[in-house]
Amino acid sequence: MTTQHGRKTAGLPASPRVLVGAALVVLSVWFVLINTRTVRIHFWVFWAQAPMWLVLVVTFLAGAAASWLFQRRRRQDRPHG
């Protein structure tokens, strides 16, 4: 069995990369759901209070966005051909 990019998949329903990503998403959601208290956050010059789940979701989304941006840049920097 091959993917659209010509890689062999050995008959697995999903690649190890997809499985690890799915596991990380599940663990992240679980972690967010058990951390529901309100926390105080220091932004160098001011303080804010927010539910911990919101802080975690924003942090996870920022990390995902940074990963996506760096991955895009890495693909653009590769020589073609």
Side-chain angles (χ1 to χ4, degrees):
M1 180 181 270
T2 59
T3 65
Q4 69 184 29
H5 300 291
R7 295 184 197 138
K8 301 248 181 205
T9 60
L12 296 174
S15 71
R17 184 176 182 176
V18 170
L19 294 175
V20 169
L24 288 173
V25 168
V26 168
L27 289 172
S28 297
V29 169
W30 171 75
F31 191 71
V32 165
L33 291 175
I34 64 169
N35 286 286
T36 57
R37 299 175 81 183
T38 298
V39 294
R40 190 172 177 191
I41 307 156
H42 184 222
F43 290 103
W44 293 285
V45 293
F46 66 93
W47 294 86
Q49 284 190 317
M52 179 62 120
W53 69 266
L54 181 61
V55 173
L56 291 169
V57 167
V58 169
T59 302
F60 292 145
L61 290 175
S67 175
W68 179 74
L69 289 170
F70 284 123
Q71 184 180 32
R72 256 184 87 197
R73 182 175 176 169
R74 197 174 329 130
R75 283 184 186 153
Q76 290 173 352
D77 289 346
R78 275 191 213 155
H80 296 288

Coordinates of all heavy atoms in Angstrom, one line a residue:
M1 N 0.8 -1.2 0.0 CA 0.0 0.0 0.0 C 0.9 1.2 0.0 O 1.9 1.3 0.7 CB -0.9 0.0 1.3 CG -1.8 1.2 1.4 SD -2.8 1.1 2.9 CE -4.2 0.2 2.3
T2 N 0.6 2.2 -0.8 CA 1.3 3.5 -0.9 C 0.5 4.7 -0.7 O -0.7 4.6 -0.9 CB 2.1 3.6 -2.2 OG1 1.1 3.6 -3.3 CG2 3.1 2.5 -2.5
T3 N 1.0 5.7 -0.2 CA 0.3 7.0 0.0 C 0.4 7.8 -1.3 O 1.0 7.4 -2.3 CB 1.0 7.8 1.1 OG1 2.3 8.2 0.7 CG2 1.0 7.1 2.4
Q4 N -0.3 8.9 -1.3 CA -0.3 9.8 -2.5 C 1.1 10.3 -2.9 O 1.4 10.7 -4.0 CB -1.2 10.9 -2.4 CG -0.8 12.0 -1.4 CD -1.9 13.1 -1.2 OE1 -3.0 12.8 -1.4 NE2 -1.4 14.2 -0.8
H5 N 2.0 10.3 -1.9 CA 3.4 10.7 -2.1 C 4.3 9.6 -2.5 O 5.6 9.8 -2.5 CB 3.9 11.5 -0.9 CG 3.1 12.7 -0.6 ND1 3.1 13.8 -1.4 CD2 2.3 12.9 0.5 CE1 2.2 14.7 -0.8 NE2 1.7 14.2 0.3
G6 N 3.8 8.4 -2.6 CA 4.6 7.2 -3.0 C 5.3 6.5 -1.9 O 6.1 5.7 -2.1
R7 N 4.9 6.8 -0.6 CA 5.6 6.2 0.5 C 4.8 4.9 0.8 O 3.6 4.8 0.8 CB 5.5 7.1 1.7 CG 6.4 8.3 1.6 CD 6.4 9.1 2.9 NE 6.8 10.4 2.6 CZ 6.3 11.5 3.1 NH1 5.3 11.4 4.0 NH2 6.8 12.7 2.9
K8 N 5.5 3.9 1.3 CA 4.9 2.6 1.7 C 4.3 2.8 3.1 O 5.0 3.4 4.0 CB 5.9 1.5 1.7 CG 6.5 1.3 0.4 CD 6.1 0.0 -0.2 CE 6.8 -0.2 -1.5 NZ 6.1 -1.1 -2.4
T9 N 3.1 2.2 3.4 CA 2.5 2.4 4.7 C 2.4 1.1 5.5 O 1.9 1.0 6.6 CB 1.1 3.0 4.6 OG1 0.3 2.1 3.8 CG2 1.1 4.4 4.0
A10 N 2.8 0.0 4.9 CA 2.8 -1.4 5.5 C 1.4 -1.8 6.0 O 1.3 -2.5 6.9 CB 3.8 -1.4 6.7
G11 N 0.4 -1.3 5.3 CA -1.0 -1.7 5.6 C -1.5 -1.1 6.9 O -2.6 -1.5 7.3
L12 N -0.9 -0.2 7.5 CA -1.4 0.4 8.7 C -2.5 1.4 8.4 O -2.5 2.1 7.3 CB -0.3 1.2 9.5 CG 0.8 0.4 10.0 CD1 1.9 1.3 10.6 CD2 0.3 -0.6 11.1
P13 N -3.6 1.5 9.2 CA -4.7 2.4 8.9 C -4.2 3.9 9.0 O -4.8 4.8 8.4 CB -5.7 2.1 10.0 CG -5.0 1.4 11.1 CD -3.8 0.8 10.4
A14 N -3.2 4.2 9.8 CA -2.7 5.6 9.9 C -1.2 5.5 10.2 O -0.7 4.5 10.8 CB -3.4 6.3 11.1
S15 N -0.5 6.5 9.8 CA 1.0 6.5 10.0 C 1.3 6.7 11.5 O 0.4 7.3 12.2 CB 1.6 7.6 9.2 OG 1.2 8.9 9.7
P16 N 2.5 6.3 11.9 CA 2.9 6.6 13.3 C 2.8 8.1 13.7 O 2.4 8.4 14.8 CB 4.3 6.1 13.4 CG 4.4 5.0 12.3 CD 3.5 5.6 11.2
R17 N 3.1 8.9 12.7 CA 3.0 10.4 13.0 C 1.6 10.8 13.3 O 1.4 11.6 14.2 CB 3.6 11.1 11.8 CG 3.7 12.6 11.9 CD 4.3 13.2 10.7 NE 4.4 14.6 10.8 CZ 5.0 15.4 9.9 NH1 5.5 14.9 8.8 NH2 5.1 16.7 10.1
V18 N 0.6 10.3 12.6 CA -0.8 10.6 12.8 C -1.2 10.1 14.2 O -1.9 10.7 14.9 CB -1.7 10.1 11.7 CG1 -3.1 10.2 12.0 CG2 -1.4 10.8 10.4
L19 N -0.8 8.8 14.5 CA -1.2 8.2 15.8 C -0.6 9.0 16.9 O -1.3 9.2 17.9 CB -0.7 6.8 15.8 CG -1.4 5.8 14.8 CD1 -0.8 4.4 14.8 CD2 -2.9 5.8 15.1
V20 N 0.7 9.4 16.8 CA 1.3 10.2 17.9 C 0.6 11.5 18.1 O 0.3 12.0 19.2 CB 2.8 10.4 17.7 CG1 3.4 11.4 18.6 CG2 3.5 9.1 17.8
G21 N 0.3 12.2 16.9 CA -0.5 13.4 17.0 C -1.8 13.3 17.6 O -2.3 14.1 18.4
A22 N -2.6 12.2 17.3 CA -3.9 12.0 17.9 C -3.8 11.7 19.4 O -4.6 12.2 20.1 CB -4.5 10.8 17.2
A23 N -2.7 11.0 19.8 CA -2.5 10.7 21.2 C -2.2 12.0 21.9 O -2.8 12.3 23.0 CB -1.4 9.7 21.4
L24 N -1.4 12.9 21.3 CA -1.1 14.2 22.0 C -2.4 15.1 22.1 O -2.6 15.7 23.1 CB -0.1 14.9 21.2 CG 1.4 14.4 21.3 CD1 2.3 15.1 20.4 CD2 1.8 14.5 22.8
V25 N -3.2 15.0 21.1 CA -4.5 15.8 21.1 C -5.4 15.3 22.3 O -5.9 16.0 23.0 CB -5.2 15.8 19.8 CG1 -6.7 16.3 19.9 CG2 -4.5 16.6 18.7
V26 N -5.5 13.9 22.3 CA -6.3 13.3 23.4 C -5.8 13.7 24.8 O -6.5 14.1 25.7 CB -6.4 11.8 23.2 CG1 -7.0 11.1 24.4 CG2 -7.2 11.5 22.0
L27 N -4.5 13.6 25.0 CA -3.9 13.9 26.3 C -4.0 15.4 26.6 O -4.3 15.8 27.7 CB -2.4 13.6 26.3 CG -2.1 12.1 26.4 CD1 -0.6 11.8 26.2 CD2 -2.6 11.5 27.7
S28 N -3.9 16.3 25.6 CA -4.1 17.7 25.8 C -5.5 18.1 26.2 O -5.7 18.9 27.1 CB -3.7 18.5 24.5 OG -2.4 18.3 24.2
V29 N -6.5 17.5 25.5 CA -7.9 17.7 25.9 C -8.2 17.2 27.3 O -8.8 17.9 28.1 CB -8.8 17.0 24.9 CG1 -10.3 17.0 25.4 CG2 -8.7 17.7 23.5
W30 N -7.7 16.0 27.6 CA -7.8 15.5 29.0 C -7.2 16.5 30.0 O -7.8 16.8 31.0 CB -7.2 14.1 29.1 CG -7.1 13.6 30.5 CD1 -8.2 13.1 31.2 CD2 -6.0 13.5 31.3 NE1 -7.7 12.7 32.5 CE2 -6.4 13.0 32.6 CE3 -4.7 13.9 31.2 CZ2 -5.5 12.8 33.6 CZ3 -3.8 13.7 32.2 CH2 -4.2 13.2 33.4
F31 N -6.0 17.0 29.7 CA -5.3 17.9 30.6 C -6.1 19.2 30.8 O -6.2 19.7 31.9 CB -3.9 18.2 30.1 CG -3.0 18.9 31.1 CD1 -2.5 18.2 32.2 CD2 -2.7 20.2 30.9 CE1 -1.7 18.9 33.1 CE2 -1.8 20.9 31.7 CZ -1.3 20.2 32.8
V32 N -6.7 19.7 29.7 CA -7.5 20.9 29.8 C -8.7 20.7 30.7 O -9.1 21.5 31.5 CB -7.9 21.4 28.4 CG1 -9.0 22.4 28.5 CG2 -6.6 22.0 27.7
L33 N -9.4 19.5 30.5 CA -10.6 19.2 31.2 C -10.4 19.1 32.7 O -11.4 19.4 33.5 CB -11.3 18.0 30.6 CG -11.8 18.2 29.2 CD1 -12.4 16.9 28.6 CD2 -12.9 19.3 29.1
I34 N -9.3 18.6 33.1 CA -9.1 18.4 34.6 C -8.5 19.7 35.3 O -8.5 19.8 36.5 CB -8.2 17.2 34.9 CG1 -6.8 17.4 34.4 CG2 -8.8 16.0 34.4 CD1 -5.8 16.4 34.9
N35 N -8.1 20.7 34.5 CA -7.5 21.9 35.1 C -8.5 23.1 34.8 O -8.4 23.8 33.8 CB -6.2 22.2 34.4 CG -5.1 21.3 34.9 OD1 -4.7 21.5 36.1 ND2 -4.7 20.4 34.1
T36 N -9.5 23.2 35.7 CA -10.6 24.2 35.5 C -10.5 25.4 36.5 O -11.4 26.2 36.4 CB -11.9 23.5 35.7 OG1 -12.0 22.9 37.0 CG2 -12.1 22.4 34.6
R37 N -9.6 25.4 37.4 CA -9.5 26.5 38.3 C -9.1 27.8 37.6 O -8.5 27.8 36.6 CB -8.5 26.2 39.4 CG -8.9 25.0 40.2 CD -7.8 24.6 41.2 NE -8.0 25.5 42.4 CZ -7.2 25.5 43.4 NH1 -6.1 24.7 43.4 NH2 -7.4 26.3 44.4
T38 N -9.4 28.9 38.3 CA -9.0 30.3 37.8 C -7.6 30.5 38.3 O -7.2 30.2 39.4 CB -10.0 31.4 38.3 OG1 -11.3 31.1 37.9 CG2 -9.5 32.7 37.9
V39 N -6.8 31.1 37.4 CA -5.4 31.3 37.7 C -5.1 32.8 37.4 O -5.8 33.5 36.6 CB -4.4 30.4 36.9 CG1 -4.6 29.0 37.3 CG2 -4.6 30.6 35.4
R40 N -4.0 33.3 38.1 CA -3.6 34.6 37.9 C -2.3 34.6 37.0 O -1.4 33.8 37.2 CB -3.2 35.3 39.2 CG -3.0 36.7 39.2 CD -2.9 37.2 40.6 NE -2.5 38.6 40.5 CZ -2.2 39.4 41.6 NH1 -2.1 38.8 42.8 NH2 -1.9 40.6 41.4
I41 N -2.3 35.4 35.9 CA -1.3 35.4 35.0 C -0.6 36.7 35.0 O -1.2 37.8 34.9 CB -1.8 35.1 33.6 CG1 -2.6 33.8 33.6 CG2 -0.7 35.0 32.5 CD1 -3.6 33.8 32.5
H42 N 0.8 36.7 35.0 CA 1.5 38.0 35.0 C 2.1 38.2 33.6 O 2.8 37.4 33.0 CB 2.7 37.9 36.0 CG 3.5 39.1 36.1 ND1 4.8 39.1 36.2 CD2 3.1 40.4 36.2 CE1 5.3 40.3 36.3 NE2 4.2 41.1 36.3
F43 N 1.7 39.3 33.0 CA 2.2 39.7 31.6 C 3.2 40.9 31.7 O 3.0 41.9 31.1 CB 1.0 40.2 30.8 CG 0.0 39.1 30.4 CD1 -1.2 38.9 31.1 CD2 0.4 38.2 29.4 CE1 -2.1 37.9 30.7 CE2 -0.5 37.2 29.0 CZ -1.7 37.1 29.7
W44 N 4.2 40.7 32.5 CA 5.3 41.7 32.7 C 4.8 43.0 33.3 O 5.4 43.4 34.3 CB 6.1 42.0 31.4 CG 6.8 40.8 30.9 CD1 8.0 40.3 31.4 CD2 6.4 39.9 29.8 NE1 8.4 39.2 30.7 CE2 7.4 38.9 29.7 CE3 5.4 39.9 28.9 CZ2 7.4 37.9 28.8 CZ3 5.3 38.9 28.0 CH2 6.3 37.9 27.9
V45 N 3.8 43.7 32.7 CA 3.4 45.0 33.3 C 2.0 44.9 33.9 O 1.6 45.9 34.5 CB 3.5 46.1 32.2 CG1 4.9 46.3 31.8 CG2 2.6 45.7 31.0
F46 N 1.3 43.9 33.7 CA 0.0 43.8 34.3 C -0.4 42.3 34.6 O 0.3 41.4 34.2 CB -1.1 44.4 33.5 CG -1.3 43.7 32.2 CD1 -2.3 42.8 32.0 CD2 -0.6 44.0 31.0 CE1 -2.5 42.1 30.9 CE2 -0.8 43.4 29.8 CZ -1.8 42.4 29.8
W47 N -1.4 42.2 35.5 CA -1.9 40.9 35.8 C -3.3 40.6 35.2 O -4.0 41.6 35.0 CB -2.0 40.7 37.3 CG -0.7 40.8 38.1 CD1 -0.1 41.9 38.5 CD2 0.1 39.7 38.5 NE1 1.1 41.6 39.1 CE2 1.2 40.2 39.1 CE3 0.0 38.3 38.3 CZ2 2.2 39.4 39.7 CZ3 1.0 37.5 38.9 CH2 2.1 38.1 39.5
A48 N -3.6 39.4 35.0 CA -4.9 39.0 34.5 C -5.3 37.7 35.2 O -4.5 37.0 35.6 CB -4.9 38.9 33.0
Q49 N -6.6 37.5 35.3 CA -7.2 36.3 35.8 C -8.0 35.6 34.7 O -8.7 36.3 33.9 CB -8.0 36.5 37.0 CG -7.2 36.7 38.3 CD -8.1 36.7 39.5 OE1 -9.2 37.2 39.5 NE2 -7.6 36.0 40.5
A50 N -7.8 34.3 34.5 CA -8.6 33.6 33.5 C -8.7 32.1 34.0 O -7.9 31.6 34.8 CB -7.9 33.6 32.2
P51 N -9.7 31.4 33.5 CA -9.8 30.0 33.8 C -8.6 29.3 33.2 O -8.1 29.6 32.1 CB -11.1 29.5 33.1 CG -11.8 30.8 32.7 CD -10.8 31.9 32.7
M52 N -8.1 28.3 34.0 CA -6.9 27.6 33.5 C -7.1 26.9 32.2 O -6.2 26.9 31.3 CB -6.5 26.6 34.6 CG -5.3 25.8 34.2 SD -3.8 26.8 33.9 CE -2.7 26.1 35.1
W53 N -8.3 26.4 31.9 CA -8.6 25.7 30.7 C -8.4 26.6 29.5 O -7.9 26.3 28.5 CB -10.0 25.1 30.7 CG -11.1 26.0 30.6 CD1 -11.8 26.5 31.7 CD2 -11.7 26.7 29.5 NE1 -12.8 27.4 31.3 CE2 -12.7 27.5 29.9 CE3 -11.4 26.6 28.1 CZ2 -13.5 28.3 29.1 CZ3 -12.2 27.4 27.3 CH2 -13.2 28.2 27.7
L54 N -8.8 27.9 29.7 CA -8.6 28.9 28.6 C -7.2 29.2 28.3 O -6.7 29.3 27.2 CB -9.4 30.2 28.9 CG -9.4 31.3 27.9 CD1 -10.0 30.8 26.6 CD2 -10.1 32.5 28.4
V55 N -6.4 29.3 29.4 CA -5.0 29.6 29.3 C -4.3 28.4 28.5 O -3.5 28.6 27.6 CB -4.3 29.8 30.7 CG1 -2.8 29.9 30.6 CG2 -4.9 31.0 31.3
L56 N -4.7 27.2 28.9 CA -4.1 26.0 28.3 C -4.5 25.9 26.8 O -3.6 25.6 25.9 CB -4.5 24.7 29.0 CG -3.9 24.6 30.4 CD1 -4.6 23.4 31.1 CD2 -2.4 24.3 30.3
V57 N -5.7 26.2 26.5 CA -6.2 26.1 25.1 C -5.4 27.1 24.2 O -5.0 26.8 23.1 CB -7.7 26.3 25.0 CG1 -8.1 26.5 23.5 CG2 -8.4 25.1 25.5
V58 N -5.3 28.4 24.7 CA -4.6 29.4 24.0 C -3.1 29.0 23.8 O -2.6 29.2 22.8 CB -4.7 30.8 24.7 CG1 -3.8 31.8 24.1 CG2 -6.2 31.3 24.7
T59 N -2.5 28.5 24.9 CA -1.1 28.0 24.8 C -1.0 26.9 23.8 O 0.0 26.9 22.9 CB -0.6 27.6 26.2 OG1 -0.8 28.6 27.1 CG2 0.8 27.1 26.1
F60 N -1.8 25.9 23.8 CA -1.8 24.8 22.8 C -2.0 25.3 21.4 O -1.3 24.9 20.5 CB -2.8 23.7 23.1 CG -2.5 23.0 24.4 CD1 -3.6 22.5 25.2 CD2 -1.2 22.7 24.8 CE1 -3.3 21.8 26.4 CE2 -1.0 22.0 26.0 CZ -2.0 21.6 26.8
L61 N -2.9 26.2 21.2 CA -3.2 26.8 19.9 C -2.0 27.6 19.4 O -1.6 27.5 18.2 CB -4.4 27.6 19.9 CG -5.7 26.9 20.0 CD1 -6.9 27.8 20.1 CD2 -5.9 25.9 18.9
A62 N -1.3 28.4 20.3 CA -0.1 29.1 19.9 C 1.0 28.2 19.5 O 1.7 28.4 18.5 CB 0.3 30.0 21.0
G63 N 1.2 27.1 20.2 CA 2.2 26.1 19.9 C 1.9 25.4 18.5 O 2.8 25.2 17.7
A64 N 0.6 25.1 18.3 CA 0.2 24.5 17.0 C 0.5 25.5 15.9 O 1.0 25.1 14.8 CB -1.2 24.0 17.1
A65 N 0.1 26.7 16.1 CA 0.3 27.7 15.0 C 1.8 27.9 14.7 O 2.2 28.0 13.6 CB -0.3 29.1 15.4
A66 N 2.6 28.0 15.8 CA 4.1 28.1 15.6 C 4.6 26.9 14.8 O 5.5 27.0 13.9 CB 4.8 28.3 16.9
S67 N 4.2 25.7 15.2 CA 4.7 24.5 14.5 C 4.3 24.5 13.0 O 5.1 24.2 12.2 CB 4.1 23.3 15.2 OG 4.4 22.1 14.5
W68 N 3.0 24.9 12.8 CA 2.6 25.0 11.4 C 3.4 26.0 10.6 O 3.8 25.7 9.4 CB 1.1 25.3 11.4 CG 0.5 25.5 10.0 CD1 0.2 24.4 9.1 CD2 0.2 26.7 9.3 NE1 -0.3 25.0 8.0 CE2 -0.4 26.3 8.1 CE3 0.2 28.0 9.7 CZ2 -0.8 27.3 7.2 CZ3 -0.2 28.9 8.8 CH2 -0.7 28.6 7.5
L69 N 3.6 27.2 11.2 CA 4.4 28.2 10.5 C 5.8 27.8 10.2 O 6.3 28.0 9.1 CB 4.4 29.5 11.3 CG 3.1 30.2 11.3 CD1 3.1 31.4 12.3 CD2 2.7 30.8 9.9
F70 N 6.5 27.1 11.2 CA 7.8 26.6 10.9 C 7.9 25.5 9.9 O 8.8 25.4 9.1 CB 8.5 26.2 12.3 CG 8.9 27.3 13.1 CD1 8.5 27.5 14.4 CD2 9.8 28.3 12.6 CE1 8.8 28.5 15.2 CE2 10.2 29.4 13.4 CZ 9.7 29.5 14.7
Q71 N 6.9 24.6 9.9 CA 6.8 23.5 9.0 C 6.6 24.1 7.6 O 7.3 23.6 6.6 CB 5.7 22.6 9.3 CG 5.6 21.4 8.4 CD 4.4 20.5 8.8 OE1 3.4 21.0 9.3 NE2 4.6 19.2 8.7
R72 N 5.8 25.1 7.4 CA 5.6 25.7 6.1 C 6.9 26.4 5.6 O 7.3 26.2 4.5 CB 4.5 26.8 6.2 CG 3.2 26.5 5.6 CD 2.3 27.6 5.7 NE 2.4 28.4 4.5 CZ 2.0 29.6 4.3 NH1 1.4 30.2 5.3 NH2 2.2 30.3 3.2
R73 N 7.6 27.0 6.5 CA 8.9 27.7 6.1 C 9.9 26.7 5.7 O 10.6 26.8 4.8 CB 9.4 28.5 7.3 CG 10.6 29.3 6.9 CD 11.1 30.2 8.0 NE 12.3 30.8 7.7 CZ 12.9 31.7 8.3 NH1 12.3 32.3 9.3 NH2 14.0 32.2 7.9
R74 N 10.0 25.5 6.5 CA 10.9 24.5 6.2 C 10.7 23.9 4.8 O 11.6 23.6 4.0 CB 10.9 23.4 7.2 CG 12.0 22.5 7.2 CD 12.1 21.5 8.3 NE 11.4 21.9 9.6 CZ 10.5 21.2 10.2 NH1 10.2 20.0 9.8 NH2 10.0 21.6 11.3
R75 N 9.4 23.8 4.4 CA 9.0 23.2 3.1 C 9.4 24.2 2.0 O 9.9 23.8 0.9 CB 7.5 23.0 3.0 CG 7.1 21.7 3.7 CD 5.6 21.5 3.5 NE 5.2 20.3 4.3 CZ 4.0 20.2 4.7 NH1 3.0 21.1 4.4 NH2 3.7 19.1 5.4
Q76 N 9.3 25.5 2.3 CA 9.6 26.5 1.3 C 11.1 26.7 1.1 O 11.6 27.0 0.0 CB 9.1 27.9 1.7 CG 7.5 27.9 1.6 CD 7.0 29.2 2.1 OE1 7.7 30.0 2.7 NE2 5.7 29.4 1.9
D77 N 11.9 26.4 2.2 CA 13.4 26.5 2.1 C 14.0 25.3 1.4 O 15.2 25.4 1.0 CB 14.0 26.6 3.5 CG 13.6 28.0 4.1 OD1 13.2 28.9 3.4 OD2 13.8 28.1 5.4
R78 N 13.3 24.2 1.2 CA 13.9 23.0 0.6 C 14.1 23.3 -0.9 O 13.3 23.9 -1.6 CB 12.9 21.8 0.7 CG 13.1 21.1 1.9 CD 12.3 19.8 1.8 NE 11.7 19.5 3.1 CZ 10.6 18.7 3.3 NH1 10.0 18.2 2.2 NH2 10.2 18.5 4.5
P79 N 15.3 22.8 -1.4 CA 15.5 22.9 -2.9 C 14.5 22.0 -3.6 O 14.2 20.9 -3.2 CB 16.9 22.5 -3.1 CG 17.3 21.7 -1.8 CD 16.4 22.2 -0.7
H80 N 14.0 22.5 -4.7 CA 13.0 21.7 -5.5 C 13.8 20.8 -6.5 O 14.7 21.3 -7.1 CB 12.0 22.6 -6.2 CG 11.2 23.4 -5.3 ND1 10.2 22.8 -4.5 CD2 11.2 24.7 -4.9 CE1 9.6 23.8 -3.8 NE2 10.2 24.9 -4.0
G81 N 13.3 19.6 -6.7 CA 13.8 18.8 -7.7 C 14.7 17.8 -7.2 O 15.4 17.1 -7.0

